Amino acid sequence: MPKVSVILPVYNAEKYIERSLYSVLDQTLDDIQIIIIDDGSTDNSFSIINSIINKHQKYKNKTILISRENKGVATTRAEGVTLASGDYIIQCDSDDWVEKSWLQLLYDTARKNDSDIVICDYMDVYKNKQYRTSQKIYPSIQENINALLKSEISNMNWDKLIRRSLLVENDINYIQNVNMGEDFLFTLQAFHYAKKISHTPNVLYYYNKTNEKSLTYKYSDKSLNDIINITNKAEYFLSQSGYFNNIKKNLDLFKLNIKTLSITRSRGKSCDIKKGIGLFPEINYLISTKHASRILKIMYFTESLNMNFLNPFVLKLFNIYKKINHLVNSK
């Protein structure tokens, strides 16, 4: 049984896959399993991967390479979890890269503390800048889930080493065909069942924010619907817990962020803006508070005056401002 199984989904990543794959293959931790699933790439991703593995005999014994038709990232992650045989599992995205000690430090921390989950810090990488994201773990399940809902802990899975038996025993896996927000629900469920969560204060992962083909770079209608679907499933899951009342306010704030995202990514269509405004009406009490964004307050103000015909124009100005701000920050 390997110590760690790494799941690497790949889709049209020819520009980044070589750096990503070598960083995973050259880990200091011995006895690892690397599951690479090419999700129907139409570029040279698979050829690059195949060439790297065949060029280095030492890599062959620890890799499983699969190439098949496109099924989406959630199905690919789920397939990787099913194939994994390591004591622990972790994900890695094909446009990112990791430190050589990524698995070693996470695994050593897990063994030392008998942890179900170990979290590391990571770096957001832009064109000419990098920003460190430091994370903090709390003593109780309730506190950690509140931190997840408030984005004090990331919802991603590549910064979290998770005991495989925790996933198997509690039937935790990704929902097929839900390709945006799939990692949030996975993390939420794992946190709920974990008896011990630890943290290593090292930057071990580099999150590439320059890939314009990334699912998180642009949101399609399906992406937004997936996030709403995941939010509803998360609420139902949490409603069955004994601590729901203690996390409800932060869940409402999480839903407020999804509501704002739905409106600001609606591409100026009046029907989509209206759909976003009508989303999660139970949290509208937050619109007048400091937690609501300025754009959301303006939208609701024009709605209350029956002047919602102005909303597409307001949204266009907001998106122009965001683009200018993004260009300035990415230089």
Side-chain angles (χ1 to χ4, degrees):
M1 184 181 293
K3 294 174 180 174
V4 176
S5 294
V6 180
I7 300 160
L8 181 62
V10 179
Y11 179 72
N12 287 354
E14 64 180 3
K15 186 176 177 181
Y16 309 102
I17 189 60
E18 183 172 352
R19 177 179 59 186
S20 179
L21 182 56
Y22 270 121
S23 75
V24 174
L25 290 168
D26 291 333
Q27 289 293 296
T28 56
L29 182 69
D30 60 352
D31 196 15
I32 64 174
Q33 175 190 48
I34 303 168
I35 302 167
I36 309 163
I37 303 176
D38 178 62
D39 186 30
S41 293
T42 56
D43 64 3
N44 292 317
S45 294
F46 180 76
S47 297
I48 294 169
I49 297 166
N50 209 30
S51 175
I52 291 170
I53 293 173
N54 288 327
K55 193 186 298 181
H56 304 280
Q57 188 65 36
K58 63 179 181 178
Y59 296 149
K60 284 192 174 182
N61 292 334
K62 59 182 178 182
T63 57
I64 296 174
L65 177 58
I66 297 169
S67 182
R68 52 153 173 74
E69 72 278 11
N70 180 261
K71 295 183 180 180
V73 67
T75 299
T76 304
R77 293 194 197 281
E79 185 177 345
V81 171
T82 302
L83 290 170
S85 59
D87 287 337
Y88 289 84
I89 71 162
I90 196 167
Q91 300 277 341
C92 181
D93 288 349
S94 58
D95 52 354
D96 302 334
W97 67 97
V98 297
E99 290 283 355
K100 282 191 173 186
S101 58
W102 177 50
L103 298 180
Q104 185 80 60
L105 289 174
L106 287 169
Y107 182 77
D108 287 350
T109 303
R111 297 287 292 176
K112 178 182 176 181
N113 299 301
D114 191 25
S115 303
D116 292 312
I117 301 173
V118 182
I119 299 176
C120 67
D121 294 346
Y122 62 91
M123 199 74 79
D124 288 313
V125 181
Y126 294 88
K127 187 176 181 180
N128 295 311
K129 293 181 182 178
Q130 295 185 357
Y131 297 98
R132 177 174 181 158
T133 296
S134 298
Q135 308 195 79
K136 180 182 178 182
I137 294 302
Y138 296 87
S140 71
I141 291 173
Q142 176 188 309
E143 288 174 299
N144 284 317
I145 287 179
N146 270 326
L148 181 65
L149 292 169
K150 293 189 290 184
S151 298
E152 292 176 1
I153 299 174
S154 85
N155 64 340
M156 276 79 79
N157 299 145
W158 36 248
D159 59 343
K160 298 173 183 71
L161 189 74
I162 303 176
R163 197 192 301 269
R164 187 170 62 88
S165 60
L166 175 79
L167 304 176
V168 173
E169 290 167 7
N170 296 290
D171 196 24
I172 300 171
N173 210 336
Y174 300 90
I175 301 172
Q176 295 196 16
N177 203 36
V178 177
N179 297 316
M180 184 66 73
E182 81 288 351
D183 42 5
F184 168 73
L185 186 61
F186 188 92
T187 299
L188 176 69
Q189 292 174 326
F191 272 27
H192 172 78
Y193 290 109
K195 293 178 182 176
K196 180 71 178 290
I197 304 176
S198 298
H199 172 244
T200 178
N202 302 85
V203 172
L204 300 176
Y205 195 93
Y206 293 84
Y207 181 24
N208 181 10
K209 306 282 277 189
T210 66
N211 183 5
E212 296 183 5
K213 293 182 180 180
S214 168
L215 284 174
T216 56
Y217 198 89
K218 292 181 180 179
Y219 288 79
S220 65
D221 291 342
K222 183 184 183 308
S223 297
L224 290 170
N225 287 332
D226 282 353
I227 294 173
I228 293 166
N229 184 15
I230 286 291
T231 303
N232 288 329
K233 288 182 182 298
E235 181 173 26
Y236 177 78
F237 177 79
L238 289 169
S239 71
Q240 308 303 302
S241 71
Y243 50 84
F244 182 69
N245 290 335
N246 295 324
I247 56 92
K248 187 178 183 305
K249 177 65 179 293
N250 285 317
L251 176 61
D252 285 353
L253 290 172
F254 180 83
K255 289 159 76 174
L256 179 68
N257 289 333
I258 302 303
K259 187 184 188 84
T260 304
L261 179 70
S262 179
I263 292 171
T264 56
R265 298 301 178 108
S266 63
R267 292 173 289 182
K269 296 179 182 177
S270 296
C271 58
D272 290 341
I273 294 173
K274 192 170 185 65
K275 177 183 174 182
I277 289 173
L279 189 65
F280 305 133
E282 67 276 11
I283 54 96
N284 283 351
Y285 72 94
L286 291 169
I287 301 296
S288 60
T289 70
K290 64 180 181 180
H291 302 291
S293 66
R294 189 173 298 172
I295 183 70
L296 195 59
K297 289 176 179 178
I298 292 171
M299 294 285 186
Y300 272 83
F301 179 71
T302 57
E303 187 84 8
S304 67
L305 296 177
N306 291 320
M307 297 173 64
N308 53 10
F309 60 89
L310 291 174
N311 280 341
F313 177 70
V314 172
L315 186 59
K316 187 174 182 179
L317 289 177
F318 171 76
N319 285 330
I320 290 172
Y321 166 78
K322 280 192 70 178
K323 284 180 181 178
I324 293 172
N325 195 46
H326 174 74
L327 287 172
V328 170
N329 289 331
S330 62
K331 285 183 178 178

